[in-house]
Amino acid sequence: MSDKRVMVIGSGGRECAFAWKLNKDNEVGQVYCAPGNGGTSAFAINIDCDINNNNEILEQVIKYKIDLVLVGPEAPLANGIVDFLKTNDINVFGPDKYASQLESSKLFAREVMAEYNIPQPKYKKCSSAEEVLEVKNDWGLPIVIKADGLAAGKGVIICEDENSFNEALDLMFKKSGFGDASKSVSVEECLYGEELSIFAVCDGQDYKILNTAQDHKRAYDNDLGPNTGGMGAYSPTPLSTENILSQTENKIIKPILTAMKDKGHPYTGFLYVGIMIVNNEPYVIEFNVRMGDPETQVVIPLLKDSFYSLLNSCLSGNLKNVNLEISSKTAVTIVLAADGYPNSYNKGMEIFELDQIEDGSVFHAGTTLVDKKIITSGGRVLNVVGIGDNLKDAILKAYKLAEKISFEGKFFRKDIGKKGLSYK
Ligand code: AMP
Ligand code: GLY
């Protein structure tokens, strides 16, 4: 019966991909996006709503008689949206506030990992510049300083020399650049190796691997320029060999699920494991308690099963009986950004040629529908997606689309997936 009403919380490319997939689901009658974007307005009902206000979300969920809420970004999860909706008898997919600390507190995550012997870089909790200085004098440079709290992906500073170290201390403790997020910091050994992300869905007891991906975080080609939310990704990555995957499952995913269960907060939701491979072993750089953006835009199109049933199987604790079917193809997404991103950029530019693009090949991020025109409203504007039999093929397809769409000030990296080709 295709009568279920699903609400996706969030407004980025990740949420557009979720909504697109749910819209195709036989069991789903109507998708709602709170607040959604110009892309989701084509097939879902966008609801204007402050996603960091739990009461406002509940009001909309009741008003539209929503059967299932899917939370995209980390902020509402850290804000306890799952606990709040559950106490109001609403079906919601995502970890509770306690478990969301795996992302919202870097130190919480490090401490749990230490307790359960999960491989991670050496770290030390520090709450003042003096304490960090002591660690630096002890370990030497390079070191990594991470704000404990959420800092919109900007709270990590790699200090390779005295200058960057002193700047980091100033930013974290004197200028309070991250507000309360940097009251405490995790000072970490700096690891060197290849990075990849492994995505799992979890039902509190069991998990299934959705896929693996590699993000491209720097703004410019060859991993240069400032850090961004992500300029492109591909899935799966050849870095995820059987050996790396089985080590990640046994040494990282299983123990962290056990940990959350032991602490009385069984983990339900997406688990994003960001790892670095050092000497052929995976070390946890970070956990996120949600899917990645733009990684979702390559992982979700490769999922063959009903996304709605998968989410429901997790909520009913029935994941064990699900036989996940994932396409063996490769997907590449390229972010089309507004000139200036991740710093200041213009908004309001009209986007052309979108109607020439095949369904499922573009997910909107920073766009709005105004007077039947799609205009830019954010830094990361669109995600084009190419799917191919192999990485090379998928790259070619994605770049064809990236060239085709136009808006004033469009810029994108020209080397998405190139690293992946070099691993083969
Ligand atoms: P995060 O926000 O925790 O993912 O950190 C952002 C980026 O900083 C990661 O993708 C890594 O490239 C880098 N990073 C974070 N922690 C470490 C570490 N301990 N050693 C080396 N690089 C790190
Ligand atoms: N693309 C990185 C993230 O979603 O955290």
Side-chain angles (χ1 to χ4, degrees), residues 260-282:
M260 289 298 112
K261 214 164 35 176
D262 289 351
K263 292 178 188 301
H265 295 267
Y267 192 95
T268 303
F270 296 113
L271 181 67
Y272 170 139
V273 188
I275 62 171
M276 194 177 274
I277 303 174
V278 184
N279 295 330
N280 228 4
E281 287 181 24

Side-chain angles (χ1 to χ4, degrees), residues 139-206:
W139 296 356
L141 293 176
I143 53 173
V144 178
I145 307 183
K146 273 186 195 177
D148 178 44
L150 289 178
K154 297 190 177 113
V156 178
I157 304 181
I158 297 176
C159 310
E160 289 190 313
D161 52 37
E162 290 292 332
N163 256 350
S164 56
F165 174 74
N166 290 325
E167 274 171 27
L169 282 193
D170 269 4
L171 187 63
M172 297 277 176
F173 294 105
K174 280 203 192 131
K175 295 185 189 143
S176 292
F178 304 109
D180 280 355
S182 64
K183 266 191 171 161
S184 296
V185 299
S186 173
V187 179
E188 303 182 356
E189 162 194 19
C190 186
L191 300 181
Y192 290 93
E194 296 295 348
E195 277 184 78
L196 71 147
S197 310
I198 296 174
F199 298 95
V201 272
C202 311
D203 73 354
Q205 297 283 333
D206 296 295

Side-chain angles (χ1 to χ4, degrees), residues 42-117:
F43 54 82
I45 295 175
N46 282 355
I47 299 167
D48 194 19
C49 164
D50 174 4
I51 62 167
N52 294 311
N53 182 327
N54 291 346
N55 279 307
E56 248 188 62
I57 295 180
L58 177 64
E59 240 173 67
Q60 301 300 329
V61 166
I62 292 171
K63 180 173 166 189
Y64 291 100
K65 303 189 174 70
I66 300 297
D67 295 294
L68 172 69
V69 178
L70 170 59
V71 188
E74 62 277 17
L77 293 168
N79 221 358
I81 185 65
V82 169
D83 315 56
F84 181 72
L85 291 180
K86 277 195 175 153
T87 50
N88 286 282
D89 293 324
I90 309 289
N91 242 342
V92 52
F93 185 80
D96 67 9
K97 183 172 178 159
Y98 180 90
S100 296
Q101 290 179 91
L102 285 176
E103 176 167 1
S104 66
S105 166
K106 305 298 171 205
L107 286 163
F108 172 88
R110 288 287 179 229
E111 279 157 18
V112 178
M113 283 186 261
E115 196 183 334
Y116 284 78
N117 287 319

Side-chain angles (χ1 to χ4, degrees), residues 14 18 103 196-202 207-215 217 233-237 240 245 248-249 253 267 269-275 286-300 303 310 319 324 326:
R14 165 181 51 210
F18 283 158
E103 176 167 1
L196 71 147
S197 310
I198 296 174
F199 298 95
V201 272
C202 311
Y207 70 92
K208 299 268 169 180
I209 301 290
L210 267 178
N211 218 324
T212 66
Q214 193 172 42
D215 190 9
K217 289 188 182 174
Y234 68 92
S235 170
T237 166
S240 57
L245 263 178
T248 304
E249 292 184 48
I253 299 178
Y267 192 95
F270 296 113
L271 181 67
Y272 170 139
V273 188
I275 62 171
E286 63 170 346
F287 282 124
N288 291 320
V289 297
R290 49 163 177 91
M291 282 298 289
D293 187 342
E295 296 95 320
T296 304
Q297 293 86 303
V298 282
V299 169
I300 284 295
L303 172 67
L310 175 63
L319 190 56
L324 257 195
I326 309 287

Side-chain angles (χ1 to χ4, degrees), residues 369-380:
L369 178 69
V370 179
D371 297 334
K372 295 189 180 155
K373 289 180 182 164
I374 297 283
I375 61 167
T376 73
S377 58
R380 290 195 291 178

Side-chain angles (χ1 to χ4, degrees), residues 2 19 27 66 100-101 116 149 164 183 186 194-195 236-237 244 246-247 268 296 351 356 392-393 412 415 418 421:
S2 63
E27 290 181 66
I66 300 297
S100 296
Q101 290 179 91
Y116 284 78
S164 56
K183 266 191 171 161
S186 173
E194 296 295 348
E195 277 184 78
T237 166
I244 289 295
S246 79
Q247 287 194 68
T268 303
T296 304
I351 306 172
Q356 307 289 314
K392 203 169 160 195
D393 186 24
F412 54 93
D415 64 343
K418 199 170 148 192
L421 292 176

